[in-house]
Amino acid sequence: MYSQYEFDKQLVKVCPTPRQLAVEEMEFYAFAHFTVNTFTDKEWGDGTEPESVFNPTELDADQWVDALKAAGIKGLILTCKHHDGFCLWPSAYTEHCVKNSPFRDGKGDVVREVADACAKGGLKFGVYLSPWDRNSAVYGQGKAYDDYFCNQLTELLTQYGEIFTVWFDGACGEGPNGKRQVYDFERYYALIRKLQPDAAIAICGPDIRWCGNEAGDTRESEWSVLPTAFMTPEEVAANSQQADTAEFREKTIDCMQRDLGSREFLQGAKGYRWYPSETDTSIRPGWFYHASEDERVRSAETLIDIWYRTVGGNSTLLLNIPPDRRGLFHENDVRNLREMGDYIRKTFAVNLAENATITADRDDGYHTADALKVDSYDDYYKPFDGENTAEITVKLDKVCDVTHVVIKEHIPMSQRVEAYIVEALLADGTWKEVGKGTTIGYKKIERFDAVATDTVRIRITDSRVCPILSFIGVY
Ligand code: FUL
């Protein structure tokens, strides 16, 4: 039987790969759901849509990129092929694609335009390629379809520059001949590793995990060290086969476990892996554009709340903004994205901790609390192994109205903190608790009503082996 300390030591050996770390450091990136559905007003096409329906007459990917950057978004994942099988690039392997559409007289390539606009605007670019294909005649025929799918993956991963993520949906319904395909995921993964070794494979893949719902719901304790047994591709597929209705989205909140990584939950696991959470949700009720939803775009306030709980709660945020029939982001979406970005930029413009004195009640003699001023993984704060509590004090140069504290763990050395409390010193000499929680992970944001203080204290009250932090910000 392991002691608690020995057990914790096993857990903190589990750390992110560079490709996982790269995605986590992006924090906030976007989806663009765009295909024939945009023109047929559907969420799922059935694969029989004529190519002629796809006709965005004012497509301007630079407009998308500008709107995304205004929100503070760092990358974009395009639905290059959704379940209907229509390809947004001129694939050599199917006629069901842009080359037979009126878009740019059949000479257009949406993937190219979006990838180029991202490169120009400094956004990373990722691809969504649906394994479920309701158009392909070879779907359901085993290797024949896997060959087709791998040929398409090869086109996307060799012709459009660097790809930061390949996003695999688990949906596995019937194809045009009524058959289902058993996806050869291992083969797809191997091909991605070969062609784009730095790309993270998300959702039905080993690098990034689905948070468990599409509503923007988050867990109080979001862990990145999980049992290896969790969420096989089959389990994900089982969850995604259901109709994508509002009721389904609500239900998925319950159908996925709330606790995926506490010490209790990990007892008895055969092995562990780093498997960080990504929260995918849409700015509108649907994933695709519907004019009827123009007045139902999530407000900046709602988006900011989701951002706080995801980016400030150890999950990345993947926000979908569906282009409209013109091939533009709708004005309402653009407005709310800008308001969201303006708020975040303003709120976190000045880090009061930069000119503060940061001290800790203990350190290991090498990794002092000074390191916490710089937001980078180059340096970190750490006490000795076995010291699983710590008290860090941020003494500001004057009394300020403080509303936010940001804490980041040094996740290259795993996720360790189990419990913490944030306090502010009041004028009467007493400490006021302004925040408390369990996990921290890559980033935790505590927000609270303004408190006038010149000293903020972070008490780590439980941690695996010892807490290792990379940054503290006070705003
Ligand atoms: C789901 C799909 O069925 C939806 O259409 C959407 O693409 C979403 C991101 O994943 O499983």
Side-chain angles (χ1 to χ4, degrees):
M1 188 63 193
Y2 275 149
S3 70
Q4 178 72 63
Y5 178 68
E6 285 166 334
F7 181 59
D8 284 357
K9 279 222 142 191
Q10 298 299 314
L11 301 183
V12 303
K13 279 185 195 150
V14 185
C15 303
T17 61
R19 59 172 86 87
Q20 291 174 315
L21 198 57
V23 172
E24 295 192 77
E25 284 192 88
M26 287 171 72
E27 300 185 355
F28 183 20
Y29 39 92
F31 242 157
H33 272 67
F34 194 38
T35 184
V36 289
N37 298 346
T38 312
F39 301 88
T40 56
D41 218 13
K42 286 190 184 153
E43 277 293 298
W44 281 3
D46 63 13
T48 62
E49 298 77 12
E51 293 82 34
S52 59
V53 302
F54 187 80
N55 191 18
T57 46
E58 295 170 47
L59 183 90
D60 180 3
D62 291 331
Q63 187 253 7
W64 307 7
V65 168
D66 288 345
L68 298 177
K69 285 167 74 177
I73 282 168
K74 300 281 170 24
L76 172 62
I77 304 171
L78 176 67
T79 55
C80 301
K81 176 181 87 166
H82 202 253
H83 309 329
D84 51 75
F86 181 80
C87 299
L88 294 186
W89 77 102
S91 174
Y93 301 95
T94 181
E95 292 304 307
H96 196 50
C97 67
V98 280
K99 69 188 174 200
N100 291 314
S101 79
F103 170 63
R104 308 236 191 278
D105 294 326
K107 295 187 181 59
D109 181 344
V110 180
V111 180
R112 168 90 49 224
E113 292 190 26
V114 176
D116 287 353
C118 285
K120 193 168 100 190
L123 294 190
K124 293 192 183 184
F125 179 63
V127 297
Y128 169 113
L129 187 69
S130 170
W132 185 22
D133 188 321
R134 305 178 81 179
N135 175 268
S136 167
V138 289
Y139 185 86
Q141 290 180 14
K143 183 169 177 302
Y145 178 74
D146 290 325
D147 289 347
Y148 174 71
F149 192 76
C150 284
N151 284 332
Q152 295 200 320
L153 258 183
T154 303
E155 289 182 319
L156 291 174
L157 302 183
T158 56
Q159 295 172 18
Y160 299 95
E162 199 178 320
I163 303 296
F164 84 93
T165 193
V166 178
W167 210 95
F168 282 149
D169 196 303
C172 176
E174 293 176 358
N177 57 12
K179 287 197 185 146
R180 269 174 210 265
Q181 172 78 17
V182 179
Y183 306 130
D184 190 351
F185 275 114
E186 292 306 324
R187 181 175 163 197
Y188 310 163
Y189 300 162
L191 184 65
I192 297 165
R193 295 294 194 232
K194 188 173 116 202
L195 299 177
Q196 294 272 349
D198 296 333
I201 311 174
I203 313 311
C204 262
D207 300 321
I208 307 288
R209 144 176 81 86
W210 187 42
C211 69
N213 74 93
E214 295 179 339
D217 182 51
T218 47
R219 294 182 177 81
E220 193 202 338
S221 307
E222 192 64 86
W223 287 102
S224 300
V225 177
L226 266 64
T228 35
F230 178 70
M231 277 254 280
T232 61
E234 289 73 20
E235 285 164 341
V236 178
N239 272 304
S240 305
Q241 269 170 40
Q242 306 164 55
D244 187 25
T245 60
E247 295 79 66
F248 169 61
R249 290 185 195 186
E250 289 308 317
K251 258 197 271 154
T252 55
I253 297 171
D254 297 332
C255 84
M256 303 304 291
Q257 310 215 41
R258 301 300 296 178
D259 175 10
L260 300 172
S262 69
R263 284 169 172 139
E264 295 69 39
F265 184 70
L266 294 177
Q267 298 277 348
K270 290 207 177 77
Y272 317 103
R273 63 164 156 174
W274 190 266
Y275 205 21
S277 166
E278 176 187 88
T279 304
D280 64 323
T281 194
S282 185
I283 196 168
R284 288 164 173 255
W287 289 101
F288 287 92
Y289 177 82
H290 308 287
S292 59
E293 294 178 351
D294 282 349
E295 300 309 319
R296 298 180 66 200
V297 179
R298 280 168 149 170
S299 66
E301 206 187 353
T302 303
L303 296 173
I304 290 162
D305 179 63
I306 295 170
W307 180 85
Y308 271 122
R309 287 183 291 101
T310 53
V311 171
N314 196 37
S315 180
T316 54
L317 173 56
L318 171 54
L319 180 67
N320 177 61
I321 304 98
D324 63 17
R325 290 184 181 177
R326 295 171 298 176
L328 298 173
F329 285 171
H330 187 271
E331 290 71 6
N332 293 355
D333 307 46
V334 171
R335 180 197 57 218
N336 295 2
L337 288 171
R338 169 161 293 284
E339 277 178 32
M340 174 193 197
D342 285 347
Y343 169 89
I344 295 171
R345 273 185 294 276
K346 200 168 133 225
T347 306
F348 296 94
V350 180
N351 176 13
L352 301 167
E354 257 174 38
N355 292 322
T357 312
I358 309 189
T359 52
D361 66 338
R362 63 191 70 192
D363 61 51
D364 68 1
Y366 296 102
H367 303 99
T368 64
D370 243 9
L372 296 169
K373 284 191 177 185
V374 185
D375 188 0
S376 102
Y377 291 134
D378 292 341
D379 204 358
Y380 53 85
Y381 158 76
K382 176 187 174 298
F384 286 110
D385 280 10
E387 295 185 320
N388 58 1
T389 63
E391 199 173 292
I392 297 142
T393 306
V394 183
K395 177 89 180 67
L396 309 178
D397 55 6
K398 58 175 190 296
V399 174
C400 302
D401 280 337
V402 173
T403 54
H404 293 78
V405 171
V406 173
I407 317 170
K408 292 174 87 169
E409 280 191 75
H410 187 71
I411 59 165
M413 295 170 80
S414 196
Q415 185 183 352
R416 297 160 175 255
V417 175
E418 292 259 351
Y420 67 89
I421 295 169
V422 181
E423 295 162 317
L425 187 64
L426 303 182
D428 66 5
T430 60
W431 289 98
K432 177 184 163 77
E433 184 181 298
V434 290
K436 96 196 244 188
T438 54
T439 51
I440 292 177
Y442 87 80
K443 188 168 190 168
K444 184 59 165 240
I445 306 176
E446 283 294 345
R447 55 178 160 154
F448 40 86
D449 292 340
V451 51
T453 185
D454 67 356
T455 311
V456 172
R457 178 164 89 175
I458 292 110
R459 289 197 288 126
I460 309 293
T461 53
D462 188 16
S463 171
R464 297 173 183 179
V465 180
C466 70
I468 308 188
L469 304 183
S470 74
F471 174 73
I472 288 177
V474 176
Y475 307 88

